[in-house]
Amino acid sequence: MESALYEVTGNIAVITLNNPPINGLGLDLRKAVIASIDRAGQDPAVHAIVLAGSDRAFSGGADVKEFGTPKSSTEPNLLSVIRTVESSDKPVVAAIAGACMGGGLELALGCHFRVAKADAQIALPEVKLGLLPGAGGTQRLPRLVGLGTALNMIVSGSIVPAAQLKASSLFDEIVDSDVRSAAIRFAQRVVAENRPLRRVRDLQIKDAGGEAFLQSARDKVAASSKHFPAPLKCVDAVAAAYTKPFDEGMKIEREAFLALMTTPESRALRHAFTAERAAAKIPDVPADTPTRHIGRVAVIGAGTMGGGIAMNFLNAGIPVTLLEMKQEALDRGLATIRRNYENSMKRGKLSADQLEARMALLQPTLSYDDIKDADLVIEAVFEDIGVKEQVFGKIDEVMKPGAILASNTSTLDMNRIAGFTKRPQDVIGLHFFSPANVMRLLEVVRAEKTAKDVLATVMQLAKKIKKVAVVSGVCDGFIGNRMLKFYRNQANALLEEGASPQQIDRALENWGMAMGPFRMGDLAGLDIGWAIRKRLYAENPGMKRSVIADRLCGLGRFGQKTGKGWYRYEAGRRDALPDPEVDAIIAAARKEAGITPREVSDEEIIERCIYALVNEGARILEEGIAARASDIDMVYLHGYGFPAHRGGPMLVADLAGLPNVVAKMRGFAAQPSADAAFWEPARLLVRLAEAGKTFN
């Protein structure tokens, strides 16, 4: 396949980028563009050049297939391509439709003129990878749209429709029709009128008060991006476009780009970018596996979880039937959904018409008969195997053949749940995270007999409802909650040894976690964990008990919803306040266990909690519960508040060096109060460490 197509229409050469799906600027395409520009330059019959993409994308930027390979920097690199385009003696017009992002936009900025379709998506999203535009984006964009607009686009990485930039000099023409034909006509006018070539590098930025604006922007960006160096570097580079000659600004941009490439923050964000795409690929389910049609969804249970799940489908325009057993519970659930949408409307994220359109897709019912024609049914009822058995027995009886039967269980055995039906091949786990209408993670639990087309269907559906879907095998707690148990184990052990809930939470939050384990427990509700522990105690009578946590729950301290948990909460506020009653419970438990409290460092808190996650993650990989280490990182980044700038627990271990992680674990095992068996490194972890390899 040719990477760029070349044809001549009259006196206009049309070069069409041809690297689907998004015309990633890989090495072959870069070479083809330069060769085509040279060919057009040498043809006396050609008077101007149109550089076009497809309707889907002019270019989405760098080719992700080349990330981390020598090809990404092999000449001609993107800078060389842009120099070739910009220095052409014949006018070059970019015909922009679909995605025009990152290097794609930088290439367009190197053209002399630009014609865009009104709905083209314009962005410089490099900051989302911990980088800044490295091929002139920070220098050329401000020269066309002004400091304010350019800086907002570059620091946020947000997508802007071309029509929104109509008032700027970025586009010479914005059209609603075929952009390729419009660009050819525009190029013909440029030739007929003998217009001079407009090289963006030669333009001046004429923003009054630019220095004051840049200083204010620098202060705001510094305050909002403490874990990430890239946003401030973006400000510096844009400032250089304002204060320095073009070539000096380019040098500053390039130096910043190369420096950011080596930061752990960029490494983490790039890892997450590729990991999210990898998670969608299931090794034994081919990409062309046929999928089942999902035209209507049913949700059983109108509580917080069920209502949130329903909203995901309503947001995507998919009708939902919401089933409850009692009218009062159904009314309460409907009111909560409407209130959530009204809150979105107040924040300007939803119009009144959109609110009513979504509510119109929702059909409430008290009868199982009303869900029988749904293509997918998701139960979101109480987390008890007996309750699940009743529900699955009923839906097995009423649902049409071929319907997918899903459970929102967070810990229970999906093989057992599938066994409650006569069609286990149609059963799957869809573990949404709370609040389900906000959290991006969806753990897709593949039971022993789940059909491949069922798996392919829900993975496709997850994209439609804007979830990051990660496939898990069946085990207690699946990927996320199984690992979380070990994280909490260490938090509880550190508490017994001498740390306070406040110190543990503060240490982990300062490290980057969205919430420490004790604040998170109070938010989620301690009764949920208590119910799971009681089940596990019954199943494993010899297991160690969480004495302090159990005593809190025994006193009715279930967290924010009861006003008391690990902390106390004042009415109408969510501030986690230290509680002397909790301190007394902790002190009594230590005394009964014969523990003399000691000083615990923040470093020990972080390493023990995070390496506990890593060790169990290694076992999950070894058992095949997760297909790849990056899937585990996706679960923690999108479902458990793991800091984006760390990239996930398995990447943290990779960057620390697996031999160092193993040595730390063995050091923890040797401590006088340690549970040595807990810190036995997973076989996979030891094997990789000894081989000098990494998880990812």
Side-chain angles (χ1 to χ4, degrees):
M1 182 179 77
E2 291 184 63
S3 297
L5 308 177
Y6 185 94
E7 61 183 303
V8 177
T9 300
N11 60 351
I12 308 298
V14 181
I15 302 167
T16 304
L17 309 182
N18 187 36
N19 184 22
I22 60 165
N23 286 324
L25 296 166
L27 178 59
D28 290 343
L29 180 54
R30 299 195 301 269
K31 287 180 177 177
V33 171
I34 286 183
S36 298
I37 294 285
D38 288 345
R39 179 178 175 184
Q42 293 167 19
D43 186 346
V46 170
H47 294 175
I49 302 162
V50 167
L51 189 60
S54 65
D55 289 339
R56 179 175 178 181
F58 174 76
S59 171
D63 191 332
V64 295
K65 295 190 290 292
E66 291 188 2
F67 274 13
T69 72
K71 279 189 173 183
S72 62
S73 57
T74 299
E75 285 285 0
N77 61 26
L78 182 56
L79 285 163
S80 300
V81 175
I82 293 170
R83 274 195 297 270
T84 299
V85 170
E86 192 173 52
S87 60
S88 167
D89 293 331
K90 297 177 181 180
V92 182
V93 181
I96 300 167
C100 181
M101 301 182 187
L105 178 55
E106 290 177 301
L107 176 59
L109 292 171
C111 297
H112 306 121
F113 304 98
R114 283 156 296 281
V115 175
K117 201 164 180 186
D119 61 356
Q121 297 177 304
I122 311 301
L124 288 172
E126 286 84 354
V127 72
K128 295 181 179 180
L129 298 180
L131 301 169
L132 51 64
T138 66
Q139 303 306 296
R140 290 188 177 89
L141 188 64
R143 286 172 158 81
L144 291 170
V145 302
L147 282 178
T149 300
L151 195 60
N152 286 336
M153 287 179 65
I154 292 167
V155 169
S156 71
S158 299
I159 296 171
V160 179
Q164 196 172 307
L165 298 162
K166 189 173 184 178
S168 75
S169 301
L170 179 57
F171 301 115
D172 298 277
E173 193 172 283
I174 293 179
V175 300
D176 291 313
S177 56
D178 175 42
V179 74
R180 177 189 170 100
S181 300
I184 292 171
R185 289 193 297 272
F186 182 87
Q188 288 167 338
R189 287 200 301 275
V190 167
V191 171
E193 296 167 12
N194 198 27
R195 290 193 201 180
L197 303 182
R198 186 173 69 158
R199 294 185 171 93
V200 178
R201 61 173 291 141
D202 298 331
L203 304 178
Q204 297 298 311
I205 301 173
K206 297 174 182 177
D207 276 271
E211 290 283 6
F213 168 77
L214 288 165
Q215 186 53 53
S216 173
R218 190 173 276 110
D219 293 341
K220 288 177 183 174
V221 169
S224 62
S225 60
K226 62 180 181 178
H227 292 302
F228 298 98
L232 265 179
K233 290 289 187 184
C234 289
V235 179
D236 291 342
V238 171
Y242 182 67
T243 60
K244 308 279 186 188
F246 181 83
D247 288 331
E248 283 187 42
M250 283 294 293
K251 184 179 177 185
I252 288 169
E253 176 194 89
R254 195 63 187 166
E255 287 173 353
F257 177 83
L258 294 173
L260 288 169
M261 278 290 288
T262 65
T263 62
E265 292 84 3
S266 179
R267 172 76 177 85
L269 293 174
R270 284 181 281 132
H271 168 70
F273 178 83
T274 54
E276 185 172 326
R277 282 144 188 79
K281 297 169 183 171
I282 306 164
D284 67 330
V285 179
D288 60 355
T289 299
T291 56
R292 302 187 189 186
H293 172 69
I294 305 294
R296 171 172 284 277
V297 172
V299 177
I300 302 174
T304 302
M305 206 68 208
I309 291 170
M311 288 177 70
N312 287 291
F313 297 100
L314 300 176
N315 296 345
I318 300 172
V320 176
T321 305
L322 187 61
L323 172 66
E324 256 294 353
M325 297 300 100
K326 295 183 179 177
Q327 187 67 48
E328 181 185 359
L330 187 58
D331 292 343
R332 191 164 54 244
L334 293 172
T336 299
I337 292 172
R338 178 171 283 277
R339 186 166 61 250
N340 287 339
Y341 281 138
E342 286 171 349
N343 289 337
S344 293
M345 194 171 71
K346 287 173 188 173
R347 294 194 300 271
K349 295 186 175 181
L350 204 66
S351 69
D353 287 346
Q354 287 173 318
L355 185 156
E356 294 306 330
R358 292 179 190 189
M359 292 303 295
L361 292 171
L362 184 61
Q363 177 193 344
T365 184
L366 297 173
S367 171
Y368 271 95
D369 285 343
D370 290 334
I371 70 168
K372 62 185 179 182
D373 291 326
D375 303 296
L376 165 68
V377 57
I378 305 170
E379 65 77 11
V381 301
F382 189 67
E383 187 76 342
D384 176 86
I385 197 70
V387 176
K388 305 285 189 192
E389 182 173 10
Q390 291 175 22
V391 170
F392 270 83
K394 187 67 178 175
I395 60 178
D396 187 38
E397 179 186 318
V398 303
M399 298 305 295
K400 68 181 182 182
I404 296 174
L405 317 183
S407 172
N408 181 53
T409 180
S410 58
T411 58
L412 299 176
D413 186 341
M414 277 308 306
N415 290 328
R416 194 171 168 195
I417 290 173
F420 297 147
T421 76
K422 296 183 183 68
R423 39 173 145 175
Q425 73 280 0
D426 294 335
V427 178
I428 197 164
L430 294 180
H431 178 208
F432 289 81
F433 284 69
S434 185
N437 54 307
V438 175
M439 297 293 283
R440 289 191 69 207
L441 180 65
L442 177 62
E443 254 185 333
V444 175
V445 187
R446 181 182 192 174
E448 203 172 84
K449 296 183 180 177
T450 301
K452 288 184 180 181
D453 68 330
V454 168
L455 199 54
T457 301
V458 300
M459 295 300 283
Q460 184 185 81
L461 187 61
K463 282 186 183 177
K464 191 168 186 179
I465 62 173
K466 299 181 179 177
K467 297 295 184 191
V468 175
V470 177
V471 177
S472 171
V474 175
C475 63
D476 195 281
F478 316 130
I479 295 170
N481 282 338
R482 171 171 160 179
M483 289 170 63
L484 188 66
K485 183 171 66 175
F486 289 79
Y487 174 80
R488 285 177 171 160
N489 172 293
Q490 280 310 289
N492 291 334
L494 288 157
L495 193 67
E496 291 174 357
E497 291 169 35
S500 67
Q502 299 95 293
Q503 184 197 359
I504 295 167
D505 283 348
R506 187 173 57 247
L508 287 159
E509 287 165 14
N510 287 342
W511 186 76
M513 296 295 287
M515 271 190 177
F518 299 107
R519 283 183 62 216
M520 178 58 76
D522 277 0
L523 177 65
L526 301 182
D527 51 329
I528 299 169
W530 194 33
I532 293 170
R533 286 197 304 277
K534 286 191 284 189
R535 172 175 65 81
L536 293 174
Y537 294 157
E539 293 171 1
N540 309 282
M543 74 178 285
K544 184 181 178 183
R545 307 210 165 207
S546 300
V547 175
I548 300 171
D550 291 348
R551 285 184 184 174
L552 291 181
C553 291
L555 293 171
R557 300 182 65 113
F558 296 143
Q560 286 187 20
K561 60 188 172 187
T562 59
K564 290 182 177 181
W566 290 104
Y567 298 89
R568 63 182 179 85
Y569 302 87
E570 294 177 353
R573 299 178 62 186
R574 292 196 170 189
D575 304 70
L577 304 172
D579 192 339
E581 187 177 343
V582 175
D583 296 339
I585 292 169
I586 294 169
R590 287 173 181 160
K591 188 174 180 181
E592 288 169 21
I595 296 170
T596 301
R598 64 177 177 88
E599 289 288 326
V600 178
S601 70
D602 286 0
E603 182 184 16
E604 182 181 350
I605 290 168
I606 293 161
E607 288 180 339
R608 281 174 58 177
C609 289
I610 302 305
Y611 290 168
L613 284 176
V614 170
N615 205 30
E616 194 58 20
R619 292 192 184 101
I620 283 171
L621 278 175
E622 199 168 15
E623 294 169 21
I625 299 299
R628 49 186 80 84
S630 62
D631 285 0
I632 294 173
D633 288 336
M634 283 293 96
V635 167
Y636 268 80
L637 287 170
H638 292 296
Y640 292 87
F642 204 90
H645 69 282
R646 304 284 184 186
M650 310 313 281
L651 185 68
V652 167
D654 282 349
L655 295 180
L658 299 193
N660 296 327
V661 174
V662 170
K664 281 283 185 182
M665 289 181 180
R666 287 174 174 156
F668 296 145
Q671 289 179 351
S673 59
D675 177 353
F678 180 92
W679 285 114
E680 179 66 31
R683 289 191 300 272
L684 175 63
L685 174 54
V686 173
R687 193 162 66 247
L688 291 173
E690 289 176 348
K693 294 182 178 179
T694 58
F695 287 120
N696 291 286

